[in-house]
Amino acid sequence: MQRSRVKDILNREAAGGPVLVQGWVKTRRSSGAVSFIQISDGSTLKDLQIVVEQSSPHYALVESLNTGCSVSVTGELVESQGRGQKYEVNAQTVQLLGPADPEEYPLQKKRHTLEFLREIAHLRPRTNTFGAMARVRNGMAYAIHRFFQERGFQYIQTPMITASDAEGAGSMFRVTTLDLQEPPRRDGAVDAAEDFFGRPTYLTVSGQLEAEIFALALSDVYTFGPTFRAENSNTSRHLAEFWMVEPEVAFCDLDGLAELAEDFLKDIFRYALDNCAEDMAFFNQWYDKSTIATLEGIINSSFERLTYTEAVKLLESSGESFEFPVAWGLDLQSEHERYLTEKRVGRPVVVTDYPRGIKAFYMRLNDDGETVRAMDVLVPRIGEIIGGSQREERPDILLERMQQAGLDAANYWWYLDLRRYGTVPHAGFGLGFERTVQFATGMQNIRDVIPFPRTPKNVEF
RNA sequence: UCCCCAGUAGCUCAGCGGUAGAGCGGGCGGCUGUUAACCGCUAGGUCGCAGGUUCGAAUCCUGCCUGGGGAGCCA
């Protein structure tokens, strides 16, 4: 007999017929002449109830089952006599596949703290919360690919090992095969020429520069892959390894990019609500009672557009007392972003045209000479979820901006070549996948929306 | 990296100078088509680590480690 998934069984039109189900025991209770086993196979949030009569030859085995055991069950699917589930399985055979010593198995029937579950990341997928998280995360990843594929974007795989520190921002993880105890030296310094690639290399912080190469050939592309930051950030919103989605669009300006970002967010949130409804309801009930209403609000409203200059004026006239100063030329702090999106507007805000001094060299300079065509999409609670810009496509201005940023243009010869040969206006943004899942599910800590979080001092799993 | 808070039983916590506690989970027994079932009994702890103060430290002090919240950096 072929194994049926719990999800498919519970979705059947009618009871009846033999079934084979396999999964892990959530709980087991006895009641006189009957024993009930709740099993889950991760295909859905719901458990399947297995009913075993005392007269069954397997009853003694069933009595010994506990949370965490894996079992294989055959039986007949019937309408449930009890409340709480539509169907249940009257067991004919119950086979123990793998025991889980109840003296040692750390998961209990009751709720655990998320902090504790992080310490047992190899077992937490078996909990309701992390099963739901995995399914929602999967659904949103699928929705992202679907969104771009339906619009004719090409999925580009950009390298994870790089020699250029994109944006000149952030600490990067060094990649090396040198003997760290006794590295080869030249003139006293470590000789990178002896290293695997013959020069210093790092884990990428962004696939943007490579995505630009393909945008200037295939027009509409996106990346979706891991990125790395060696920042010593200890917050509920930062990871050392996270997944980023980076569309890059040729013949597109910042207005077109902002439209794309808005359509994109609405589409993937819509997908999560429609296709992960059961899991989303779970998060809404247990973690953030407003998350579904928030997502529906986003889907059904248009994003507010503000220039940086307008945002600063709003903040200055807000009457709020901020911890950090607000002034034109200073970057917006978390508290400022949250005021704008949470209190002032109550929905996502797209802030554009930031001062050139606080943004990256590759962002297109406006005619005023003071601002660049950058945009941040701010959402309630998380703050910045998307950062993007129209890229500087004019070679002379790009070169000048690189020199002002203190970058060695020689290292970016290929990036400059893109402007030298057949340059076109283009724009792109980056979306932190985990922050998006975090926002959609209402989970407080980003470490709980990625299977194996990498944070400072944490790589156990 | 900075500021704040917390580390006591497998889990969640109480105790805050004078002999280590509860609930849940585990074990044993009972009971009932049960829904994180219920009832009774029971086992279980170098009080994060290292120093110090004290007649006496889980409790006070110092340092370190780990976790959490906030900030910076950012996605």
Side-chain angles (χ1 to χ4, degrees):
Chain A
M1 204 182 336
Q2 181 134 22
R3 177 175 72 91
S4 298
R5 292 200 182 98
V6 171
K7 180 183 183 179
D8 298 329
I9 287 176
L10 295 178
N11 282 338
R12 286 195 187 176
E13 299 274 314
V19 290
L20 166 64
V21 288
Q22 299 177 308
W24 293 266
V25 175
K26 274 272 178 61
T27 71
R28 201 210 91 250
R29 347 169 239 284
S30 293
S31 187
V34 195
S35 200
F36 300 92
I37 316 168
Q38 300 285 139
I39 72 167
S40 164
D41 65 4
S43 61
T44 171
L45 186 65
K46 292 197 183 81
D47 301 329
L48 180 64
Q49 177 161 284
I50 311 295
V51 183
V52 188
E53 301 285 341
Q54 196 166 31
S55 56
S56 163
H58 302 93
Y59 193 75
L61 169 71
V62 169
E63 287 278 89
S64 74
L65 294 177
N66 54 274
T67 303
C69 292
S70 48
V71 292
S72 182
V73 176
T74 63
E76 191 186 359
L77 187 68
V78 298
E79 305 259 342
S80 179
Q81 295 176 32
R83 278 181 231 149
Q85 59 280 319
K86 188 177 179 189
Y87 301 132
E88 62 191 20
V89 173
N90 277 338
Q92 277 159 6
T93 66
V94 179
Q95 183 190 355
L96 176 65
L97 297 177
D101 184 350
E103 297 267 17
E104 294 176 6
Y105 188 65
L107 291 177
Q108 303 173 2
K109 299 176 209 179
K110 64 168 192 168
R111 291 182 77 187
H112 286 106
T113 60
L114 295 170
E115 290 81 7
F116 172 66
L117 292 174
R118 276 174 220 147
E119 297 172 5
I120 49 169
H122 60 310
L123 296 172
R124 68 178 186 171
R126 299 186 187 183
T127 64
N128 288 338
T129 295
F130 285 91
M133 185 277 283
R135 288 185 295 269
V136 170
R137 189 181 159 100
N138 170 71
M140 293 186 75
Y142 175 75
I144 286 165
H145 282 294
R146 192 186 71 161
F147 175 87
F148 289 119
Q149 293 294 328
E150 284 180 349
R151 282 163 182 74
F153 283 60
Q154 304 291 325
Y155 172 36
I156 304 297
Q157 294 79 31
T158 52
M160 271 164 260
I161 298 173
T162 175
S164 63
D165 58 342
E167 315 178 26
S171 312
M172 302 174 79
F173 287 101
R174 184 72 182 269
V175 175
T176 182
T177 54
L178 293 178
D179 180 355
L180 294 180
Q181 298 301 317
E182 292 182 39
R185 292 180 181 277
R186 186 183 203 124
D187 302 330
V190 173
D191 186 9
E194 293 290 312
D195 207 342
F196 188 90
F197 293 103
R199 54 192 291 195
T201 47
Y202 310 88
L203 292 178
T204 186
V205 297
S206 165
Q208 178 199 318
L209 301 189
E210 291 89 352
E212 282 188 55
I213 293 174
F214 275 79
L216 295 191
L218 304 183
S219 303
D220 305 282
V221 303
Y222 71 105
T223 72
F224 187 0
T227 51
F228 308 88
R229 304 283 164 90
E231 303 283 354
N232 189 13
S233 296
N234 293 286
T235 82
S236 58
R237 305 182 312 283
H238 289 84
L239 292 165
E241 176 182 300
F242 64 98
W243 287 64
M244 192 148 63
V245 179
E246 296 180 284
E248 194 71 34
V249 190
F251 317 109
C252 181
D253 62 12
L254 195 69
D255 294 327
L257 188 73
E259 272 181 48
L260 181 73
E262 180 170 346
D263 290 347
F264 172 68
L265 286 175
K266 286 177 174 177
D267 184 85
I268 60 177
F269 291 148
R270 175 89 269 161
Y271 184 93
L273 289 177
D274 288 349
N275 294 278
C276 308
E278 187 178 83
D279 293 317
M280 289 301 297
F282 173 84
F283 287 115
N284 197 70
Q285 180 180 356
W286 295 104
Y287 290 100
D288 179 355
K289 295 199 185 302
S290 66
T291 194
I292 287 179
T294 299
L295 294 183
E296 284 174 343
I298 287 173
I299 291 163
N300 296 319
S301 65
S302 59
F303 291 12
E304 183 77 14
R305 307 285 166 90
L306 287 176
T307 66
Y308 167 88
T309 302
E310 289 167 343
V312 169
K313 281 180 188 158
L314 276 180
L315 290 165
E316 284 174 335
S317 63
S318 66
E320 293 276 316
S321 60
F322 295 112
E323 186 184 348
F324 290 91
V326 176
W328 201 98
L330 299 179
D331 208 353
L332 301 180
Q333 302 292 316
S334 289
E335 58 175 345
H336 306 144
E337 294 179 347
R338 294 187 66 153
Y339 169 80
L340 288 172
T341 185
E342 289 173 8
K343 289 192 182 175
R344 186 77 194 198
V345 179
R347 55 201 160 90
V349 178
V350 185
V351 181
T352 62
D353 300 291
Y354 285 76
R356 58 186 288 179
I358 58 174
K359 288 292 181 183
F361 73 91
Y362 51 72
M363 297 184 178
R364 193 182 197 278
L365 192 63
N366 277 315
D367 291 342
D368 61 16
E370 296 299 320
T371 58
V372 291
R373 296 245 74 187
M375 73 167 194
D376 283 355
V377 180
L378 312 177
V379 295
R381 203 179 76 245
I382 301 285
E384 182 181 344
I385 196 170
I386 281 179
S389 67
Q390 185 172 338
R391 318 305 190 189
E392 183 57 75
E393 86 281 14
R394 298 162 294 189
D396 48 334
I397 296 177
L398 181 62
L399 188 60
E400 192 182 319
R401 295 268 289 147
M402 289 177 73
Q403 285 161 350
Q404 286 164 356
L407 297 173
D408 185 356
N411 291 339
Y412 295 88
W413 63 274
W414 48 270
Y415 193 68
L416 286 162
D417 262 9
L418 297 177
R419 278 70 181 172
R420 202 171 286 131
Y421 310 124
T423 189
V424 300
H426 62 291
F429 66 75
L431 167 105
F433 183 52
E434 282 74 20
R435 285 192 183 173
T436 309
V437 176
Q438 192 183 358
F439 178 71
T441 57
M443 292 295 275
Q444 295 286 310
N445 197 309
I446 200 166
R447 296 171 185 124
D448 299 323
V449 297
I450 187 169
F452 305 104
R454 268 78 180 97
T455 53
K457 306 283 193 293
N458 184 357
V459 271
E460 182 67 21
F461 300 94

